[in-house]
Amino acid sequence: MIWNEYIEAADRDRLKRLQNERLTEMIERIYYNVPFYRKKLSELGIEPRDINSIDQLHKLPFTTKDDLRDNYPFGMFAAPQQQIVRLHASSGTTGKPTVVGYTHNDLNIWSEVVARALTMVGVTRSDIIQIAYGYGLFTGGLGVHYGAEKVGASVIPISGGNTRKQLQLMMDFGSTVIACTPSYAAHLGESIAKEGIDRSKIKLRAGIFGAEPWTNEMRRQVEQLLGIKAYDIYGLSEIIGPGVAMECEHQNGMHIFEDHFIPEIIDPVTLEVLPYGQVGELVFTTISKEAMPLLRYRTRDLTRLHIGKCACGRTMVRMDKCLGRTDDMLIIRGVNVFPSQIEAVLLEMSEASPHYQLVVDRENNLDTLEIRVEIDDQFWSDEIRVLENLRKQIQHNIASALGLTARIKLVEPNTIARSEGKAQRVIDNRKLV
Ligand code: DLL
């Protein structure tokens, strides 16, 4: 089913005309209302009347997270405070949070794109959706909430955490869909087994998982643990929140809602635009947002784009599962690795649970990597030899897949801290030096 067939399955020429119109208006809006953009565009000698097509995007300046921080809190807003009806913020790891604002119209767009996303994986008014993303400044909870209400599903706004209660309501209310981070989904799945819950009491059939990178190996584990189909939803608060892109039932990439967000892939070093199919940094221009429109926002997420009609009938560009973030890339003794590559190797082995942590440190000016792997309950052993063989096997698999010698530490079941939201996969002790 398609929520908005006219747009989602639009003829691409028609879509482009709409994008051109919206981009033209957007440039005007930011030029006259956001001093930051007026200055940037003026420095390049660009005036609003010079831009009338998305083919000219590559000439326009980028926006970075630092730009948002420098203009904290409301300096990037293009609408007066009287028109702002919602504020969200993402905490980030350092410094000031990034603040985003929404007008009424922005909120309508947000619920529209989330409604499209949910419909893509068959969510209807007959579903009961348990929203276990955090509610609050994080965009996950409220973002999915309004889209689900728009679809007409029955919403359980339970927010993250309190696993017992999650499971209780899941059974009592008969939730058919769960929305949370994939790592929390894994935790919920394990808890079902641990509590000895009769699986026939659980009616879940689909999961809407995102907000952190996760591999297809993780997908298989979560699907098995929860007995569902797991779908990937992508988004970031700066652009709108969840619902920038979503996977359909064919699962060959996430459809980007290009009538609102125009994607580009750039080389993060040269900043050149890369063609479809090449991996690089994802960049978005929001063409319909009023409160905080962003021009060529550098997401730091690495992926690639695919064009071509999907079997579902949608014509919107698809993005691959994120490989990771440019700032999450580890350089271990000269080898570039992303946590997701390590995750894929680990979770191919049935002995490894979906909980792991990477500890990066520096000894004698060389980076070291320790991988803490939590072993699945049924494979944990009191025999040192059994564990030692497993440790060596993991080390071997990592070395042959990634060309990297890492220290492997096996840890007992349930010892790595569970997260209700985004999992902390990397502990980088180098920053403390
Ligand atoms: O995480 C919005 C969201 C909420 C998306 C719920 C999906 C579901 P932020 O907190 O601003 O917003 O973090 C955005 O999270 O740049 C990616 O690095 C990462 N991310 C989000 N979705 C995915 C995904 C929300 N499906 C940052 N796969 C983004 C991989 C994801 N990474």
Side-chain angles (χ1 to χ4, degrees):
M1 263 217 319
I2 301 186
W3 179 262
N4 188 339
E5 187 144 11
Y6 182 73
I7 290 290
E8 293 174 75
D11 167 85
R12 290 209 58 94
D13 288 337
R14 177 159 60 78
L15 177 66
K16 190 169 175 189
R17 283 197 295 278
L18 176 69
Q19 290 174 321
N20 289 345
E21 250 169 56
R22 286 186 172 169
L23 177 69
T24 308
E25 281 169 21
M26 181 263 188
I27 298 290
E28 198 159 299
R29 197 157 52 235
I30 58 175
Y31 186 87
Y32 291 111
N33 295 302
V34 186
F36 165 83
Y37 279 128
R38 190 186 183 115
K39 183 163 175 279
K40 278 223 161 187
L41 291 168
S42 305
E43 276 166 10
L44 293 170
I46 298 171
E47 285 187 28
R49 60 160 182 252
D50 300 330
I51 303 296
N52 54 27
S53 162
I54 58 167
D55 296 334
Q56 296 166 299
L57 263 182
H58 66 101
K59 296 184 189 161
L60 299 173
F62 291 104
T63 310
T64 65
K65 195 158 190 116
D66 281 342
D67 294 330
L68 304 194
R69 291 217 175 98
D70 293 346
N71 290 284
Y72 176 86
F74 304 149
M76 298 297 283
F77 286 10
Q81 179 271 321
Q82 289 80 353
Q83 286 173 28
I84 307 288
V85 294
R86 177 93 67 78
L87 294 162
H88 280 281
S90 72
S91 51
T93 40
T94 49
K96 287 181 181 150
T98 315
V99 180
V100 293
Y102 303 78
T103 63
H104 269 300
N105 205 29
D106 295 337
L107 290 182
N108 287 340
I109 291 171
W110 195 8
S111 33
E112 157 80 18
V113 289
V114 173
R116 291 182 196 172
L118 296 176
T119 305
M120 228 179 248
V121 298
V123 177
T124 67
R125 59 205 304 178
S126 306
D127 279 297
I128 299 178
I129 177 167
Q130 183 160 340
I131 302 183
Y133 284 116
Y135 278 65
L137 288 176
F138 175 55
T139 51
L142 285 164
V144 176
H145 181 105
Y146 287 102
E149 279 191 357
K150 192 171 177 109
V151 166
S154 311
V155 173
I156 310 174
I158 188 166
S159 194
N162 205 341
T163 303
R164 277 245 159 92
K165 191 165 175 189
Q166 297 274 359
L167 298 179
Q168 190 66 51
L169 296 196
M170 192 182 281
M171 289 186 283
D172 295 348
F173 294 3
S175 312
T176 53
V177 178
I178 175 99
C180 61
T181 57
S183 51
Y184 190 58
H187 179 52
L188 282 173
E190 285 171 341
S191 305
I192 291 173
K194 214 165 61 201
E195 305 269 322
I197 290 172
D198 174 3
R199 285 280 283 272
S200 69
K201 291 203 178 123
I202 294 192
K203 304 279 178 270
L204 283 186
R205 60 172 181 78
I208 315 286
F209 302 138
E212 62 186 10
W214 57 306
T215 56
N216 281 323
E217 287 72 19
M218 177 85 170
R219 188 204 299 270
R220 276 192 285 279
Q221 289 218 358
V222 174
E223 287 187 334
Q224 212 173 13
L225 282 165
L226 286 168
I228 59 170
K229 248 183 113 58
Y231 296 101
D232 204 354
I233 184 166
Y234 172 87
L236 61 165
S237 36
E238 296 89 324
I239 299 305
I240 204 152
V244 173
M246 174 83 193
E247 198 169 58
C248 69
E249 74 267 23
H250 297 280
Q251 298 189 310
N252 54 2
M254 293 178 269
H255 296 273
I256 297 174
F257 298 119
E258 287 177 277
D259 54 326
H260 297 297
F261 322 113
I262 300 189
E264 294 170 276
I265 293 286
I266 61 161
D267 178 320
V269 180
T270 65
L271 307 183
E272 288 298 312
V273 177
L274 298 177
Y276 288 120
Q278 278 196 31
V279 173
E281 181 180 340
L282 183 59
V283 168
F284 279 111
T285 298
T286 67
I287 48 173
S288 54
K289 266 177 47 181
E290 294 174 343
M292 202 180 92
L294 293 182
L295 191 54
R296 306 191 81 200
Y297 183 69
R298 293 186 57 183
T299 64
R300 309 254 162 210
D301 292 320
L302 290 165
T303 185
R304 56 183 164 197
L305 299 178
H306 301 281
I307 186 95
K309 194 170 172 175
C310 177
C312 70
R314 290 177 181 81
T315 48
M316 307 245 142
V317 159
R318 283 163 284 135
M319 62 182 265
D320 269 358
K321 248 183 166 332
C322 292
L323 176 64
R325 296 176 55 82
T326 49
D327 34 13
D328 276 350
M329 189 178 81
L330 303 168
I331 305 177
I332 310 292
R333 296 170 194 257
V335 183
N336 298 353
V337 263
F338 288 99
S340 61
Q341 294 173 291
I342 295 175
E343 176 178 300
V345 177
L346 293 179
L347 300 194
E348 254 177 19
M349 305 178 68
S350 45
E351 293 91 344
S353 82
H355 306 285
Y356 64 92
Q357 246 169 6
L358 312 181
V359 184
V360 190
D361 216 325
R362 184 162 290 172
E363 286 166 16
N364 306 324
N365 292 322
L366 282 178
D367 290 339
T368 60
L369 172 65
E370 177 180 279
I371 306 179
R372 294 185 185 155
V373 190
E374 196 181 290
I375 299 304
D376 190 280
D377 229 345
Q378 44 172 325
F379 293 101
W380 184 257
S381 166
D382 290 331
E383 262 188 69
I384 290 180
R385 197 159 39 91
V386 174
L387 288 183
E388 181 54 18
N389 284 343
L390 179 56
R391 196 190 63 75
K392 281 195 182 139
Q393 184 64 50
I394 294 177
Q395 193 164 42
H396 171 81
N397 290 2
I398 295 277
S400 54
L402 307 175
L404 177 83
T405 310
R407 212 178 287 152
I408 309 291
K409 187 171 170 191
L410 305 186
V411 302
E412 285 189 48
N414 296 309
T415 47
I416 288 181
R418 304 306 196 242
S419 162
E420 298 168 1
K422 301 184 191 235
Q424 199 198 352
R425 301 290 198 193
V426 182
I427 300 171
D428 195 341
N429 291 327
R430 292 174 300 188
K431 290 188 189 115
L432 304 175
V433 179

